[in-house]
Each structure stands twice: as C-alpha cells, then as structure tokens.
Amino acid sequence: AGTLDSGMRRDFAVVVPAFDEAEVIADTVIALRRAFERYDLDGEVIVVDDGSRDDTARIATEAADGWTAFRLLRHRVNLGKTEAMLTAASRTDRTWLVLFDADLQHAPDEIPRFLARLQDGVDIVTGRKIGGYDKRAVSSVYNALSRRIFRVPVSDLNSMKAFRREILDGMHLRHDWHRFFVVLAHARGWRVAEIDIALHPRKAGVSKYQGPGRVVVGVLDLLSVAFLLRFARKPLLFFGVPGAALFGLGALTGLVALWLRFVEGFGFRPLLYLVILLVTVGVLLIGVGFLGELVAQMRDEVDAERRRLGSPEARGPAVTPSPDPPPTSRP
C-alpha cells in the first residue's frame, strides 16, 4: 500500500455482508483491523448483519472492541447480499467501496491491491480467484456464459470487488443481482479491470450459496439480465419480430389451405387449426410488444423527470439501528 495516496487511504469503505457467520465473524473483524494498521489505512469497515439468527452482530461488535473505523448495520430479516451491499452504500459518503465476504476466503491484505488498481484510473476492480474451489466447475461455466453473452472484460463476476460508490446511483439491482453488478456497470460505460487474488478455504461455518437450486436461480437471473440489457428499451424487437414471423407464416399457411380447398378440391381441417394458432399467437406477441413499448416509454419519462428534479434514488432497504452491545467483563 506504499503507492496509495493519502486520499485513497481514507476515502473508502469495506462492506462485509454477514448472515449467520458467528463462527468466523470475530476472526474477520480482527483480521481487517490488523490489515488497516499494517497498511496505514483509514477507511471504514461496515458489517451488515443481514438478519442473522445467531450472535453475529454481538460477536462482531465485541471483536471490534471500540475500533473507530468499525460500523454495524442490521437488517431485521435476511434480505440477501445485494441488499446488504446497497444498505452499506446508502449509509456511507466514502467514494470507493470494497465488497468483502465474511468467510475470510480472501485475505484483507488484498484490499490495498484493489485500491491501488482503482487509483490507476479504473472504476471497478474484480478479483479472479486463484486456488482450490469446490464450485469451480459450475462457476467456470457460469462465468464463460456471462462473458459470451455480456462481453465483459473480466473472467470472474462473483468474487471480491472494489468500485466507485457513484456507480450505484440510479442503478436498480434486484435480489441476488450483485453477481451482475459488473455487467450492468460495464454496459453503462464504467471502466472495469481484474486482478488475481488467492482463494483460501473457509475456516468455519457453511457457504450460503450452494446446492442445485442456486444453479437454476443463477441461470434464470442471467437470462433476465440479458433480456434487460438487450430488449428493455426496445421490447417490440423481442416480441414483435417473432410475432410478425408467426403471423406471416399463418397467412402463408392460410393461402395454402385456400389453394387446396378451391383448386385441388379438398379441405384439410388440421391445416385450418394451424392457421388459427399461428395467427393468434403472432397477434398476441405483437400486442405484448406494443404494451412493452408503452412501459419502456413511461420508464424513460420517469427517469428523465427524476434527473430533471435531481431527486436521488433510494438505494438501501430499511435497517434497524444496532443496539449498543452488552458490557463485557474483562479480567
């Protein structure tokens, strides 16, 4: 961190989403504090207790032991990593955010490297995991699909990352869309870079993102984001083109049916049913496309009015104030 200027050393916040991490959160807070002291960092550490059912919040506060850089925010219920990130972003005025997992699978010593890369003039820095990884096969397929679909210049979208807080202004991230934050930011023209970071085994607790259900959710979210980026402003392209094609095919089939009936002298009822099906579905798709165009137009008008009035978008969900921790007896 010797190359970091004084502004970068102060003007950042480390965001730590934590859900049921009582077994490891104390080690995480202590490791972060030691890294701040070792590299002479003066930013914030914001732990977001995301509705934990254990003693995550209390243990984290006790581990901080009066550390002035430490802050604790709490969700009343478990909302997710995306919402935890947005909550922290909405409650700090620091320019840069570092998204850091609570499981210590990445070392706090990586933080100065991310800050140094940001200082070089990029807006987002993502980490490319190096080391053993239980979900490497699934992650590799997911990242390969993302690179092919979204054309992002990074190879790992679901890792430690640091970025300019301003990027979140006006960006609507739905549940679990922290994985696509880099994709959405890159589509808006923000500069993205990548560095290699070591991946360490989880010391305690269990991963909150595992099981076949997560794969299904990830693929569906990927398709949703792809649709948003490609067709959100022109939904008629998505619905109208296949609708027009089906309508045209139905009309052509209808002409064939008429030729068979009045020229060849025999009818074929299934062909009539096919005509009705093709034309009906085609008209429905075109109609949905026009409705989508109306929705897109209204959204653009609302966005333009919001920019004109200068009203900031609310980015973070409601949090409940963290009560003071109970006093601890010291020998």
Side-chain angles (χ1 to χ4, degrees):
T3 59
L4 294 179
D5 61 39
S6 57
M8 182 62 81
R9 291 176 186 275
R10 294 191 306 269
D11 200 14
F12 75 95
V14 178
V15 179
V16 186
F19 173 59
D20 287 351
E21 296 287 3
E23 296 176 282
V24 73
I25 193 63
D27 291 340
T28 301
V29 173
I30 292 171
L32 286 167
R33 184 170 187 173
R34 289 173 179 171
F36 270 50
E37 294 170 351
R38 184 161 53 250
Y39 296 105
D40 191 25
L41 302 176
D42 194 25
E44 289 184 321
V45 170
I46 304 176
V47 172
V48 183
D49 176 32
D50 189 25
S52 295
R53 298 159 297 186
D54 57 16
D55 289 333
T56 295
R58 178 183 62 79
I59 294 173
T61 304
E62 292 178 354
D65 192 24
W67 184 22
T68 57
F70 175 85
R71 294 172 59 193
L72 177 69
L73 301 174
R74 303 183 69 178
H75 289 164
R76 296 184 182 93
V77 295
N78 177 243
L79 298 177
K81 189 173 182 178
T82 302
E83 290 80 357
M85 179 179 72
L86 295 177
T87 291
S90 66
R91 283 156 179 81
T92 182
D93 59 358
R94 305 298 171 109
T95 300
W96 306 98
L97 300 180
V98 180
L99 188 61
F100 189 84
D101 289 343
D103 55 16
L104 276 184
Q105 288 196 280
H106 302 303
D109 296 310
E110 305 285 3
I111 294 173
R113 296 182 59 226
F114 277 80
L115 296 177
R117 189 68 183 92
L118 290 171
Q119 190 174 266
D120 290 339
V122 298
D123 303 304
I124 305 174
V125 179
T126 67
R128 185 171 72 93
K129 295 185 286 289
I130 303 297
Y133 188 32
D134 292 339
K135 297 176 287 186
R136 180 172 295 279
V138 174
S139 181
S140 298
V141 173
Y142 166 78
N143 284 312
L145 285 174
S146 297
R147 288 196 304 274
R148 184 174 182 83
I149 294 173
F150 304 118
R151 306 294 182 183
V152 288
V154 296
S155 58
D156 195 340
L157 295 176
N158 194 22
S159 181
M160 182 178 171
K161 54 181 66 71
F163 55 91
R164 189 183 295 272
R165 181 174 58 88
E166 176 190 356
I167 297 173
L168 293 174
D169 293 337
M171 179 184 292
H172 178 68
L173 293 178
R174 294 166 58 188
H175 179 64
D176 275 350
W177 276 22
H178 59 276
R179 294 171 294 183
F180 302 101
F181 164 69
V182 176
V183 168
L184 295 171
H186 181 257
R188 291 172 177 238
W190 297 100
R191 294 161 296 182
V192 182
E194 184 177 62
I195 61 176
D196 291 345
I197 58 173
L199 182 69
H200 305 281
R202 175 184 264 271
K203 294 183 177 181
V206 295
S207 172
K208 308 306 183 296
Y209 295 92
Q210 58 184 352
R214 297 301 308 177
V215 177
V216 175
V217 171
V219 171
L220 292 178
D221 282 345
L222 186 147
L223 294 175
S224 179
V225 172
F227 174 82
L228 176 68
L229 291 179
R230 295 188 179 186
F231 301 108
R233 297 195 179 278
K234 287 292 183 181
L236 192 57
L237 289 177
F238 183 81
F239 294 103
V241 172
L246 289 176
F247 183 88
L249 184 60
L252 181 61
T253 306
L255 292 176
V256 172
L258 291 175
W259 184 82
L260 290 175
R261 178 69 180 84
F262 294 104
V263 177
E264 298 295 333
F266 69 93
F268 189 54
R269 189 171 294 274
L271 199 59
L272 177 61
Y273 294 152
L274 179 60
V275 171
I276 295 173
L277 176 64
L278 291 173
V279 171
T280 301
V281 175
V283 170
L284 286 176
L285 286 176
I286 293 173
V288 170
F290 279 121
L291 290 176
E293 288 287 333
L294 292 175
V295 173
Q297 178 65 25
M298 287 189 291
R299 188 189 67 176
D300 287 344
E301 291 176 358
V302 170
D303 288 344
E305 186 68 12
R306 183 183 292 114
R307 288 192 296 269
R308 187 182 69 82
L309 296 175
S311 60
E313 281 202 359
R315 290 180 280 115
V319 296
T320 180
S322 175
D324 294 332
T328 55
S329 58
R330 298 185 179 278

